[in-house]
Amino acid sequence: MKILVIGSGGREHALALALKADPQVTDIYCMPGNPGISQVATLIEGDANDGAQVAQAAQHLGVDLVVVGPEAPLVAGVADAVRQAGIACFGPGAEAARLEGSKAFAKQVMEEAGVPTARALTCHNQDELQGALAEFGAPYVVKEDGLAAGKGVVVTSDLQQAFDHGADIFARGGSLIVEEYLDGPEVSLFCVCDGKTVLPLAPAQDFKRALDGDEGPNTGGMGAYSPLEWAPADLTEQVLQKVAVPTVQRMAERGTPFSGLLYCGLALTSKGVRVVEFNVRFGDPETQVVLARLRSPLGQLLLAAATGKLADFGELEWSEQAGVCVVLASPGYPQKAKTGGALTGLEEAEALEGVHVVHAGTARKGQGLVSAGGRVLAVVALGQDIEAARTKAYQGMQRISLPDGHYRLDIAEAKA
């Protein structure tokens, strides 16, 4: 099986690594990819957001499956273009991708499907924002309606900060939603879908704030771990019955079947499971730990979803080991990342048993590597339990150097 992966970040590197482990996958290509991905796939130049370019490359390469990694190409309709070219594609079309492309749309679908979520108000101007903030009260949750790479959300008890975030969104011509605050821990559950059947992966938890102790601004994610031994034993079944299956059924009823990866961002509140948000692709950095633990062949799983044959796939198999990943970020991230710093020690980190490095924002410079994005890389480790995996991940991270780079020290730390 030949597969073309679309994207250039850590999620796509994790996908490529997992696809390489599938015995039926013979060739992996990636557009445009990154230096880490180049070690397991052939890189193809091109614009990942251009459906015509992607479809043309897929035809030229003779691939059996295209896997679209990031949200922007999905919202832009890349999956539609690939399917129109007669090639199987893992990822929703543009209409179904609105579940991530518009939070207001996602709220509408959830209401129609009876999916439990936070009450929300859509705001288009500062007067509406002021009224919504007054209605809900602190803590204030203000979310950009469109795509924001995981950084369009502010959760704060500071009324002025909430108002300023909204004003910034309006100044850029956007709209937003204000939500009621959800108490309780957040978890992520990925569900592979073919428009009818839903197959859940293992739950994971990521760490959004930039600094230890969940302090600092929101980021795209500074680390993650799986499994969640503290979560309710029936969590996955609850999410399937109350969230994923009703949503997929409702999307089919609307005439826009959802085929691809439904990322359920959840809060385990005092009143039960609530949806924080939907994404329509694998989440980063949770993908790094979830796929590291997956033992079922990923290429065959994604092809089954893309061709409507998920019901025949069977149950997924998982490693009994735990996975932890820690993200290394450029100085200044997430506000204004300073890139171009020299990266060293990656080979030394990967020499540790059970440890591998996933590239996100890296680039080649001469014979070496430099940082080329806000989140630069992730050290991923497997161990007999969370603590063992965590120890390995930090041992690996300590071997890597990036001038003034930063990472959290409390990823997957046991709670007292």
Side-chain angles (χ1 to χ4, degrees):
M1 187 191 329
K2 295 182 178 182
I3 298 179
L4 171 61
V5 177
I6 304 302
S8 61
R11 163 186 43 236
E12 289 73 43
H13 191 185
L15 283 164
L17 288 168
L19 290 169
K20 187 175 175 60
D22 185 332
Q24 286 195 15
V25 175
T26 56
D27 299 275
I28 305 172
Y29 304 93
C30 188
M31 177 192 287
N34 66 39
I37 298 174
S38 72
Q39 298 171 18
V40 291
T42 301
L43 302 192
I44 307 297
E45 291 185 4
D47 182 354
N49 294 320
D50 187 321
Q53 276 193 44
V54 173
Q56 186 176 8
Q59 288 176 312
H60 176 73
L61 295 167
V63 301
D64 303 289
L65 176 66
V66 174
V67 177
V68 183
E71 60 272 26
L74 292 167
V75 172
V78 166
D80 297 309
V82 172
R83 282 192 272 266
Q84 286 166 9
I87 298 170
C89 185
F90 183 80
E95 277 297 311
R98 290 178 66 203
L99 280 176
E100 179 168 1
S102 169
K103 290 179 174 58
F105 173 77
K107 288 290 187 184
Q108 181 183 340
V109 171
M110 282 187 266
E111 183 178 348
E112 293 171 358
V115 171
T117 186
R119 194 165 67 88
L121 293 172
T122 301
C123 303
H124 301 90
N125 55 57
Q126 290 177 326
D127 286 342
E128 291 178 356
L129 171 61
Q130 199 160 11
L133 293 173
E135 181 168 338
F136 285 118
Y140 305 103
V141 182
V142 182
K143 297 183 175 182
E144 189 163 355
D145 185 39
L147 298 181
K151 297 184 285 292
V153 181
V154 161
V155 181
T156 180
S157 294
D158 184 333
L159 178 60
Q160 190 60 49
Q161 183 184 4
F163 196 76
D164 289 346
H165 181 61
D168 180 60
I169 293 170
F170 295 141
R172 290 184 276 109
S175 59
L176 57 82
I177 64 171
V178 176
E179 284 187 348
E180 66 174 330
Y181 176 76
L182 296 175
D183 63 340
E186 292 189 13
V187 302
S188 305
L189 182 68
F190 301 160
C191 294
V192 177
C193 313
D194 68 358
K196 295 173 290 189
T197 302
V198 180
L199 199 57
L201 302 187
Q205 185 175 54
D206 76 332
F207 295 75
K208 290 291 187 197
R209 299 284 188 171
L211 307 176
D212 290 357
D214 287 329
E215 298 290 334
N218 262 342
T219 71
M222 295 297 292
Y225 69 99
S226 175
L228 309 182
E229 295 174 351
W230 52 268
D234 65 342
L235 172 62
T236 297
E237 190 57 37
Q238 278 192 57
V239 177
L240 272 181
Q241 292 183 2
K242 298 179 180 180
V243 177
V245 170
T247 299
V248 170
Q249 288 177 342
R250 182 60 193 143
M251 291 296 285
E253 290 165 0
R254 280 173 148 265
T256 53
F258 188 92
S259 174
L261 196 291
L262 182 64
Y263 169 128
C264 302
L266 310 157
L268 308 188
T269 77
S270 55
K271 298 177 182 178
V273 173
R274 297 289 185 271
V275 175
V276 176
E277 65 176 357
F278 284 139
N279 292 332
V280 298
R281 37 71 193 182
F282 283 97
D284 185 339
E286 301 100 315
T287 299
Q288 284 82 317
V289 291
V290 171
L291 294 187
R293 298 185 57 238
L294 180 66
R295 291 294 169 263
S296 298
L298 181 66
Q300 296 169 55
L301 171 64
L302 302 188
L303 182 64
T307 54
K309 298 176 181 177
L310 203 53
D312 302 326
F313 192 82
E315 286 192 23
L316 299 181
E317 295 180 14
W318 296 94
S319 166
E320 293 184 2
Q321 290 187 301
V324 171
C325 93
V326 180
V327 171
L328 174 64
S330 291
Y333 176 80
Q335 290 93 339
K336 189 174 182 181
K338 179 184 177 184
T339 59
L343 279 165
T344 58
L346 277 67
E347 291 181 0
E348 289 82 354
E350 293 199 305
L352 294 168
E353 183 183 355
V355 172
H356 64 276
V357 176
V358 171
H359 292 235
T362 66
R364 294 203 186 281
K365 186 174 183 180
Q367 298 299 308
L369 285 171
V370 296
S371 63
R375 291 185 295 172
V376 180
L377 56 82
V379 176
V380 185
L382 291 174
Q384 63 183 9
D385 54 29
I386 293 293
E387 189 53 39
R390 182 177 186 276
T391 298
K392 285 185 183 180
Y394 279 107
Q395 285 174 344
M397 186 62 82
Q398 287 163 7
R399 297 186 178 197
I400 296 174
S401 174
L402 172 65
D404 296 322
H406 64 98
Y407 57 91
R408 283 182 56 161
L409 297 173
D410 62 348
I411 301 300
E413 192 170 58
K415 300 292 189 290

